[in-house]
Amino acid sequence: MKKNKMLYRIVAAVLACAVVALALVTYQSRSSSNAPVAEGAVTATGSAKGMEGDVVVEVTADATTIYSITVKEQNETQGIGSVVCEQLPDTMVAANSYNVDGIAGATVTSDALKEAVKAALTSAGLDASAFAVAQTSDAAVEKTAESLDCDVVIVGAGGAGLTAAAQAAENGAKVIVVEKMPIVGGNSLKATGGMNAADTKYQEALGITDSGVDEFIEDTMNGGHQINDRSLVTVMAEESSDAVDWLDAIGAPLPKVAATGGTTHKYLHEPEDGSAVGSYLVEKLNAQAEKLGVQIMLNTEATEILTENGAAVGIKAESKEHNYTIHAKSVILATGGFGANFDLMASFNPALANAVTTNHAGATGDGILMAEAIGADTVDMDQIQIHPTVEANTAALITEGLRGDGAVLINAEGKRFIDEVGTRDVVSAAEIAQTGSCSWLVVDQAMVDASSVIQGYIKKGYTVTGQTYEELAKAMGVDEAAFAETMKTWNGYVAAKNDPDFGRTSFAKALDTAPYYAIKVTAGVHHTMGGLKINTNTEVLKADGSVIPGLFAAGEVTGGVHGANRLGGNAVADFTVFGRIAGAAASKYAA
Ligand code: ADP
């Protein structure tokens, strides 16, 4: 009996080792060239810091050739950095260089991988600079024509596209999504705040009774300077609670409720653990779409909408290897905005020709241009939002939620200069008027402890810090006494719930838990409020008000929801509510 037990233990231990070994093996992604490894080639490892710790690679090379790259260790964000670790080694081996184009949207991991390969080459005793220039193959790739069929084809796999895909598939449609970038998520991936919603079960549980649908509509209309399409705003507000429940049902709950800039009440729904809402939702929506059998084609760019008798009946798209004709019964455009298309932005506002932008590289307005080519109308194209808290060195977006949670903005003179939770246009204008057109966003340790988002900013090196207000002021390079005085005064205002200087009415906690942190921020292009004109059923409209049959659109590609200024938290409300409506309407049309 004892012997049997021992045997059992040995077998169990061996099995456990095998499972761990298997896990490690499947964890590695290896890319090898076709060239046989020459005698004298050396294998060495190298590492560099990624988003979530070290990226470790093993490289086999000699003085002239990189034969293989194996990613041995990485803990990068699933679906973003992990994609870099799967795809970039191939590109590097093919180019015989570490210096290849990184994957947009995942630059930190891309750079880490390049540095790690460079380090491995050096540690192999090779001259890494011999691999600094990528070799391109002259052989033109002959693209093959492919024809595909589905019920609903969706262009863009950001928040709106993935939501529409999950909803359409849930309603029984066969769905194909094309995404031109190597990763899903678009600008949605960068959303760090939350989702505005009214009359939700989470608000009710917290006793928030003054943030109803009517207040949400009025806040959004006021935030948008009353030029929003009220019918779209009404639908967004009315359907927002249902959308929160739907997210719950697919395993993406947003149970935390907070305030955000420009709203009088608490609508902002966030993930429980305080993680960034964008990557959280994109990951869950992507998983849900895949679970329901949606085919998501990455690196595939839609170029044209196919029509028959004026109705949309599919798209043309291209990848590196194929020219696709995708026949569909209906088409959903979810291509996002044009905040990375400087020519297009400058055609509406010449001052933005060289602006800083928070947008991902794929935000080039393709859906707007493709739909215009078949007669679609646009609205509010000149309404381009500037966000006041863009990290000054990297153009990374710093979430507005922090100001809602109690952070203050400090100018070069060590003073506050505006109600920090005002609308983005007002806060941006005030910031641009300050010395150097930038400011410092200040938080304390208590806020850091409560927010994994701020912890991420610290990890990424965005912050300066100090044990006292004076020490922090020194690190910021602002007047120490003036800053300390500002902070003490502010903490008094929080206690009294009264800001006689700038009329701020949202008070969280005093910023009095050391150490203190500050992020240098500036104003940058953030959201393009204008876009395709749609009705409340997400059908794309022509200038005469008639619909283009079979063509639907949702998310930042559309205009009218946000008017002249989008409130923080309303991009996610927009893409979930209208993404669901588009998915349902397009699948119904296709049935
Ligand atoms: P939204 O919030 O409206 O979903 P996002 O910016 O999050 O907007 O997502 C839009 C997505 O559409 C991005 O991932 C972008 O790369 C993709 N996209 C834009 N143009 C095209 C195109 N021509 N073909 C395929 N995908 C596109």
Side-chain angles (χ1 to χ4, degrees), residues 19-279:
V19 168
V20 169
L22 197 67
L24 283 174
V25 169
T26 52
Y27 191 65
Q28 299 179 359
S29 77
R30 181 184 164 84
S31 302
S32 308
S33 74
N34 292 329
V37 179
E39 217 176 290
V42 196
T43 298
T45 56
S47 73
K49 209 167 160 30
M51 274 303 259
E52 307 289 342
D54 285 346
V55 173
V56 182
V57 299
E58 185 181 85
V59 177
T60 300
D62 61 20
T64 56
T65 309
I66 296 176
Y67 296 100
S68 70
I69 299 172
T70 307
V71 179
K72 304 287 281 186
E73 248 181 77
Q74 58 93 7
N75 190 30
E76 302 298 275
T77 315
Q78 198 54 35
I80 310 170
S82 68
V83 175
V84 173
C85 296
E86 280 156 26
Q87 296 190 3
L88 226 50
D90 267 344
T91 318
M92 289 177 173
V93 171
N96 200 33
S97 171
Y98 60 83
N99 201 5
V100 298
D101 285 345
I103 291 182
T107 43
V108 175
T109 310
S110 300
D111 290 348
L113 201 71
K114 291 183 209 177
E115 283 307 314
V117 170
K118 204 171 150 189
L121 290 166
T122 308
S123 120
L126 300 167
D127 175 12
S129 67
F131 301 97
V133 179
Q135 291 166 16
T136 47
S137 150
D138 291 337
V141 184
E142 183 79 23
K143 291 192 187 190
T144 52
E146 290 262 343
S147 180
L148 302 171
D149 278 286
C150 62
D151 295 325
V152 181
V153 65
I154 300 176
V155 186
L162 292 172
T163 305
Q167 185 65 63
E170 189 181 311
N171 292 17
K174 181 183 174 205
V175 182
I176 292 179
V177 180
V178 297
E179 167 53 57
K180 70 174 175 178
M181 303 304 280
I183 54 175
V184 300
N187 271 348
S188 302
L189 204 52
K190 296 175 161 222
T192 47
M195 168 181 169
N196 287 340
D199 274 353
T200 67
K201 60 181 177 197
Y202 294 122
Q203 287 171 317
E204 196 185 330
L206 294 167
I208 300 167
T209 52
D210 57 356
S211 296
V213 167
D214 291 344
E215 292 83 357
F216 186 13
I217 295 170
E218 294 319 316
D219 272 347
T220 301
M221 292 299 301
N222 287 333
H225 301 183
Q226 300 290 337
I227 70 162
N228 328 42
D229 180 332
R230 187 176 271 274
S231 66
L232 294 176
V233 174
T234 303
V235 168
M236 180 172 76
E238 285 176 352
E239 298 298 322
S240 60
S241 174
D242 220 43
V244 165
D245 290 344
W246 181 79
L247 287 172
D248 237 13
I250 68 159
L254 297 172
K256 261 177 77 178
V257 186
T260 182
T263 61
T264 23
H265 306 291
K266 289 188 173 178
Y267 306 107
L268 195 71
H269 289 64
E270 300 172 327
E272 176 84 76
D273 62 358
S275 61
V277 73
S279 48

Side-chain angles (χ1 to χ4, degrees), residues 438-502:
C438 54
S439 67
W440 292 91
L441 184 75
V442 175
V443 301
D444 71 348
Q445 185 62 42
M447 282 188 68
V448 173
D449 290 341
S451 163
S452 58
V453 172
I454 314 182
Q455 290 159 24
Y457 295 155
I458 295 173
K459 245 199 208 163
K460 287 176 197 162
Y462 297 166
T463 49
V464 293
T465 184
Q467 281 300 331
T468 60
Y469 295 137
E470 287 78 3
E471 240 181 75
L472 180 63
K474 209 166 176 189
M476 290 153 63
V478 309
D479 188 275
E480 295 170 34
F483 176 65
E485 184 58 35
T486 300
M487 294 309 290
K488 281 172 199 152
T489 307
W490 169 247
N491 289 337
Y493 292 172
V494 174
K497 298 221 174 312
N498 180 30
D499 170 18
D501 294 340
F502 301 105

Side-chain angles (χ1 to χ4, degrees), residues 154-163 177-190 282 297 299-304 315-318 333-337 359-367 370 527 554-558 571-572 574-576:
I154 300 176
V155 186
L162 292 172
T163 305
V177 180
V178 297
E179 167 53 57
K180 70 174 175 178
M181 303 304 280
I183 54 175
V184 300
N187 271 348
S188 302
L189 204 52
K190 296 175 161 222
V282 164
M297 298 163 60
N299 292 307
T300 307
E301 177 170 351
T303 52
E304 196 182 322
I315 58 162
K316 283 201 167 179
E318 336 181 323
L333 297 173
T335 47
N359 282 229
H360 84 123
T364 45
D366 303 7
M370 283 188 278
H527 193 96
E556 198 177 342
V557 69
T558 68
V572 181
D574 181 3
F575 82 58
T576 47

